Amino acid sequence: MMERQFIDSTEMELRKDEDYIASLGMVGEGAPDHGAFKPKRAEPEGFDEEDLPAAYQ
């Protein structure tokens, strides 16, 4: 049987605090962005139709 869990009044006050909610969105701020160090690959510009199998032509 499930037991009833009562709501903590201090938690409810935090949920209404806009500054607290905004601070939750900042979790991870200041961490290194490893994606910035990866070399960017050039996008493929197309394909040569002669390289395709005969069924695709």
Side-chain angles (χ1 to χ4, degrees):
M1 185 168 135
M2 294 178 41
E3 294 183 22
R4 177 174 288 206
Q5 294 182 350
F6 294 99
I7 298 173
D8 186 14
S9 61
T10 54
E11 181 180 350
M12 289 307 296
E13 289 177 15
L14 285 177
R15 289 185 183 193
K16 294 178 183 178
D17 186 8
E18 293 180 12
D19 291 332
Y20 177 73
I21 298 299
S23 70
L24 292 179
M26 295 178 60
V27 172
E29 288 287 324
D33 181 13
H34 296 288
F37 302 113
K38 292 182 182 177
K40 296 185 178 186
R41 296 186 295 182
E43 292 292 323
E45 295 182 10
F47 57 90
D48 189 10
E49 291 184 12
E50 295 175 0
D51 293 337
L52 292 175
Y56 288 149
Q57 294 180 358

